[in-house]
Amino acid sequence: MKKIFIIIFLTLTAAFTPIAGKYVVNYFPPLSYPYFRFGIATLLLLIVIMFRKVNLKIDRKDYPMFLLLGVLVIPINQFCFLEGLSFSEASHSGVLYACTPLLVYLISIKNKYEKFNTKKFLSILLTIAGIGIIFYENIITPGKPGANYMLGDILLFMAVASWSAYLALSQKFVFKYGALKTQTVSFVIGMILYTPIFLFDMKNINWSVVNPGVLLASFHLTILVAFGGYFLYSYSANVIKPSTLTTMTNTSPIVTIFFSWLLLKEYLSYFFILGALITMLGVFISQRIGEN
């Protein structure tokens, strides 16, 4: 039951994250927004740490890796994710995040967290074929005013890569220090590193455009995802293999695509639909292999 709850919660939060992010960047500067999003999430984590009386001290030998985790999870991931959304579409983000299992799997194998499985690896590669079709469309079709799908999708893929690296590399620290401590230390470091970027961009903030929709999207991105979802993702490493979890939750792009079309009125081309279907086929096969 615990595993089922984790999978359902993470699937739904992942599905609506690109939609909420796309809505927010239409009103709020993409560079400044992560500071508020993760600032609130980090504060909530510190409050939990205080009440649970958790010591945030880590071994000196782990300093370099935690610095890397902090860089990956906030400055790199959030810059690429929100800037990518500002140029591309929420539906593209949803499908591109289907690459997460492949990247997590490769990193986990390199770090000897998992063993190489040829069938699973080849089935996950099928998702990359679907992504390739989407990128191909970006090359052969003209863009629309205010959009640069190729740049946006490249940034979104980099966001996927940084998230995958964070998820895989943080696994051993979750076992060593616990999910709460690992998450909190990583966020604190990430926030410190992101402060100069925020100070540089804060002049572009226009509070007058903030509306109930932005607040609702921010609740999803901050409370459900940055605070709850990220922590739960780290905690899940104790009960579910990372590549298995990310593969099973990759049904979320289907939800993202549907609601991107319904709520954001995004255009779904034939190329995009074909690429998404091939990607989902790879996800389905990977899940079946993981269950056997």
Side-chain angles (χ1 to χ4, degrees), residues 3 81 120 161 221 289:
K3 292 182 180 181
F81 174 61
K120 188 171 185 178
L221 293 170
I289 293 173

Side-chain angles (χ1 to χ4, degrees), residues 30-49:
L31 278 180
S32 296
Y33 185 73
Y35 200 76
F36 295 100
R37 178 189 180 190
F38 280 89
I40 295 173
T42 302
L43 179 61
L44 292 174
L45 284 171
L46 288 172
I47 291 174
V48 174
I49 286 285

